[in-house]
Amino acid sequence: MSHLLPVAAGFDLSAIDTSSTPGFTGEKKDAERELASNGAELGGLQERLFAESRVGGTRSVLLVLQAMDTAGKGGIVRHVIGDTDPQGIQLHAFKAPTDEEKAHDFLWRIRNELPEAGKIGVFDRSHYEDVLIHRVHGFSTPEVIEERYGIINEFERELSESGTTVIKVMLHISSNEQKVRLQERLDRPDKHWKYNPGDVDERLQWDAYQEAYQIALTRTSTVDAPWHVIPADRKWYARWAVQQLLLDALRRLDPQWPPVDYDVEIEKVRLAAT
Amino acid sequence: MSHLLPVAAGFDLSAIDTSSTPGFTGEKKDAERELASNGAELGGLQERLFAESRVGGTRSVLLVLQAMDTAGKGGIVRHVIGDTDPQGIQLHAFKAPTDEEKAHDFLWRIRNELPEAGKIGVFDRSHYEDVLIHRVHGFSTPEVIEERYGIINEFERELSESGTTVIKVMLHISSNEQKVRLQERLDRPDKHWKYNPGDVDERLQWDAYQEAYQIALTRTSTVDAPWHVIPADRKWYARWAVQQLLLDALRRLDPQWPPVDYDVEIEKVRLAAT
């Protein structure tokens, strides 16, 4: 999956061209066609993973989505996740923590939303906010944040060992692209509700966020749970790329229709007698 | 919405033709085309309902799905709900209650899964199991079940008053159609996992279930939360009909893009300065 930019030694976030389309040579219409035509395979894999869990299988998938505002997390959920069976999806959007959540350690609310066996969990934001926004705004001390990288790695190692395939994605846009997208939200009345003045305040911290991402990605991209940085200035590419990551993960899991634990011929006779 | 069989005075479940297509005059391909073409309107209404909640709106929708096995709840979720934005959906499948759930009153687990403001909640089975399977198998006494009809009506009235539009659907198939569908699960290895021998045991209680539905539907179809019985021998019709019920409900809610609580022109200037 090298074409989908796994974060490894020597990784430099600032060196990535946010408008590039690594691993894909076609154009928008080609990506959209592939996205649609891959839906059947993705759905089939998803159903087999779910079926496996009905007879005791414990495997699951967790897609973690992180990004600067407007980078397209919502579009990924709508167009990639939206193309799967809702019965096999557990989606959760993490907002600013509630008082109850703050009273617990930062992974408490995360653990509560982990996917059940057989499901594909999707996190729209995640525990990474606790090393990203916390670093940029100083919500936690450097020492606490430093400690969290290790806690996160250990947590994700446990997830992996208990059968959850963790796919971490940063949708990466340029500062200019964000400006264009925020502008669009201000220009279109049907997008006004998606904008709030705090978006500009956060935007002024752009460089600090990029630095926080650079450090977090480097410190927490592990064999068990690697990060992938997806150039996202072109929405159609980002959607295609995330679908590829999901497909790759599910193909490797290679879930199978479970063996029956009843006698099919006997059941046919029983049913016929009703 | 009389064409979608609301349950009212004089209702007789046994008189409904499960292969009929009330309110729809076309054929399968027409229904499928309409289902697909209605997706955009449904998605737009869903997004406006969600947007409304971002500025304090409290309205939501709850679709309750009940049915005999194989009647097509899963297909409704996949093809009707699956055509909406996952971010605006809260789906929950109620299984046999856990020990923790049994330790509480029967509505406890239901209350825990109610849709948030702005969301469309979908219940795959529901609190109605506590007056259906409980009646058929005698899990509760007749007195307790009798009391539950009133508790349910009161509960749903509260839901309605607090801004949740409740749409209750029974997908109604014939006993013969169920036999065909169970047979298919036994004939196709990729469907074997969906079958279990208990399905035939339940099937032997067909008449008792029909009676339990007749009583429950009659006792709990209220102005606040009416029941709709959807003939479901033809899957394409049932999907079209449930989508119509959702569309009707959302059109009546008529959610609007919320007014902005910031000065758009000032924000344009602020953004331009970044």
Side-chain angles (χ1 to χ4, degrees):
Chain A
M1 301 198 302
S2 57
H3 59 291
L4 291 171
L5 298 183
V7 171
F11 171 78
D12 179 2
L13 184 62
S14 68
I16 294 175
D17 178 355
T18 56
S19 67
S20 62
T21 62
F24 193 79
T25 51
E27 294 169 16
K28 179 177 179 179
K29 67 176 190 314
D30 306 307
E32 289 176 342
R33 195 183 307 126
E34 256 195 55
L35 188 72
S37 67
N38 283 335
E41 182 186 358
L42 186 57
L45 287 162
Q46 182 194 19
E47 189 177 11
R48 287 199 291 281
L49 183 70
F50 186 75
E52 179 183 280
S53 75
R54 297 301 92 175
V55 294
T58 57
R59 301 192 296 179
S60 62
V61 171
L62 174 61
L63 175 66
V64 174
L65 296 174
Q66 285 287 157
M68 298 296 286
D69 265 348
T70 76
K73 288 188 282 84
I76 295 289
V77 172
R78 198 152 46 243
H79 298 283
V80 181
I81 303 305
D83 202 29
T84 64
D85 186 338
Q87 296 169 99
I89 297 295
Q90 270 179 265
L91 168 68
H92 192 79
F94 290 95
K95 309 290 184 190
T98 63
D99 287 341
E100 185 189 18
E101 289 169 348
K102 282 184 191 164
H104 293 82
D105 77 278
F106 76 107
L107 290 179
W108 179 78
R109 64 177 189 158
I110 305 295
R111 292 184 192 275
N112 283 344
E113 302 294 343
L114 290 172
E116 298 160 16
K119 299 280 187 80
I120 298 174
V122 181
F123 284 177
D124 176 348
R125 304 188 187 277
S126 66
H127 43 300
Y128 284 96
E129 294 297 327
D130 295 273
V131 293
L132 293 168
I133 191 172
H134 276 240
R135 184 177 201 278
V136 170
H137 288 286
F139 294 159
S140 299
T141 65
E143 293 73 25
V144 165
I145 289 171
E146 180 60 33
E147 191 182 33
R148 282 181 182 164
Y149 300 127
I151 293 171
I152 287 173
N153 287 341
E154 176 60 21
F155 168 63
E156 293 178 354
R157 195 180 58 74
E158 283 167 22
L159 277 184
S160 172
E161 284 178 356
S162 66
T164 301
T165 299
V166 183
I167 306 168
K168 299 186 294 193
V169 167
M170 180 206 180
L171 300 175
H172 189 33
I173 56 171
S174 69
S175 172
N176 278 343
E177 180 67 19
Q178 189 192 55
K179 191 170 186 173
V180 169
R181 294 184 185 181
L182 286 173
Q183 184 69 49
E184 192 189 6
R185 291 183 181 180
L186 287 169
D187 287 341
R188 286 177 51 177
D190 63 328
K191 299 271 190 189
H192 281 168
W193 68 279
K194 291 190 172 185
Y195 179 92
N196 85 69
D199 295 343
V200 166
D201 301 323
E202 286 296 276
R203 180 170 163 71
L204 292 170
Q205 303 293 328
W206 186 272
D207 291 343
Y209 270 108
Q210 298 299 303
E211 189 184 357
Y213 269 107
Q214 166 70 34
I215 296 169
L217 297 176
T218 310
R219 296 292 299 277
T220 62
S221 195
T222 60
V223 174
D224 296 316
W227 273 104
H228 299 269
V229 175
I230 307 289
D233 282 1
R234 298 169 200 248
K235 292 177 182 175
W236 53 267
Y237 170 75
R239 292 167 192 175
W240 174 87
V242 173
Q243 189 191 51
Q244 289 293 311
L245 288 173
L246 273 176
L247 274 172
D248 284 349
L250 284 161
R251 285 173 186 150
R252 281 197 308 275
L253 290 179
D254 193 24
Q256 302 294 322
W257 298 120
V260 294
D261 56 358
Y262 55 84
D263 185 315
V264 173
E265 295 311 314
I266 286 178
E267 293 304 318
K268 284 182 181 173
V269 172
R270 289 184 69 221
L271 177 61
T274 63
Chain B
M1 300 198 301
S2 58
H3 59 292
L4 292 170
L5 297 183
V7 171
F11 171 77
D12 179 3
L13 184 62
S14 68
I16 293 174
D17 178 355
T18 56
S19 67
S20 63
T21 61
F24 193 78
T25 51
E27 294 169 16
K28 180 177 179 178
K29 66 175 191 315
D30 306 308
E32 289 176 343
R33 194 182 308 125
E34 254 194 58
L35 187 72
S37 67
N38 282 336
E41 183 186 357
L42 186 57
L45 287 162
Q46 182 194 19
E47 189 177 10
R48 287 199 290 279
L49 184 69
F50 186 76
E52 178 184 281
S53 75
R54 297 301 93 176
V55 294
T58 57
R59 300 192 297 179
S60 61
V61 171
L62 175 61
L63 174 66
V64 174
L65 297 173
Q66 284 289 154
M68 298 296 286
D69 266 348
T70 76
K73 288 188 281 84
I76 295 290
V77 172
R78 199 153 46 245
H79 298 283
V80 182
I81 304 305
D83 202 30
T84 65
D85 187 336
Q87 296 169 100
I89 297 294
Q90 270 179 267
L91 168 68
H92 192 80
F94 290 96
K95 310 290 185 189
T98 62
D99 287 342
E100 185 189 17
E101 288 169 349
K102 283 183 190 164
H104 293 82
D105 77 280
F106 77 105
L107 290 179
W108 180 77
R109 65 177 188 159
I110 304 296
R111 291 184 193 274
N112 284 342
E113 302 293 344
L114 290 172
E116 298 160 15
K119 297 282 186 81
I120 299 174
V122 181
F123 284 177
D124 176 348
R125 304 188 187 277
S126 67
H127 42 301
Y128 284 96
E129 294 298 326
D130 295 273
V131 292
L132 293 168
I133 191 172
H134 276 241
R135 184 177 201 278
V136 171
H137 289 285
F139 295 159
S140 300
T141 65
E143 294 72 26
V144 165
I145 289 170
E146 180 60 35
E147 191 181 32
R148 281 182 183 163
Y149 299 127
I151 293 172
I152 287 172
N153 287 341
E154 176 61 21
F155 168 62
E156 293 177 354
R157 195 181 58 76
E158 284 169 23
L159 277 183
S160 172
E161 283 178 358
S162 66
T164 300
T165 299
V166 183
I167 308 167
K168 298 186 294 194
V169 167
M170 180 206 181
L171 300 175
H172 189 32
I173 56 170
S174 68
S175 172
N176 279 344
E177 179 67 17
Q178 187 191 56
K179 192 170 186 172
V180 168
R181 294 185 187 181
L182 286 173
Q183 185 69 49
E184 192 189 6
R185 291 184 180 180
L186 287 169
D187 288 340
R188 287 177 50 177
D190 64 326
K191 299 270 190 190
H192 281 168
W193 69 278
K194 290 190 172 184
Y195 179 93
N196 85 69
D199 294 345
V200 166
D201 301 324
E202 286 296 275
R203 179 169 164 72
L204 292 171
Q205 304 292 328
W206 186 271
D207 291 344
Y209 271 108
Q210 298 299 303
E211 190 184 355
Y213 268 106
Q214 167 71 34
I215 297 169
L217 295 176
T218 310
R219 296 292 300 275
T220 62
S221 195
T222 61
V223 173
D224 295 315
W227 272 105
H228 300 267
V229 175
I230 307 290
D233 283 0
R234 300 170 199 249
K235 293 177 182 175
W236 54 265
Y237 170 73
R239 292 167 192 174
W240 174 86
V242 173
Q243 190 191 53
Q244 289 294 312
L245 288 173
L246 273 176
L247 274 171
D248 283 348
L250 284 161
R251 284 171 185 151
R252 280 197 307 275
L253 290 178
D254 193 23
Q256 302 294 322
W257 297 120
V260 293
D261 56 0
Y262 55 84
D263 186 315
V264 173
E265 295 311 314
I266 287 177
E267 293 304 318
K268 285 181 180 174
V269 172
R270 287 185 70 223
L271 178 62
T274 62

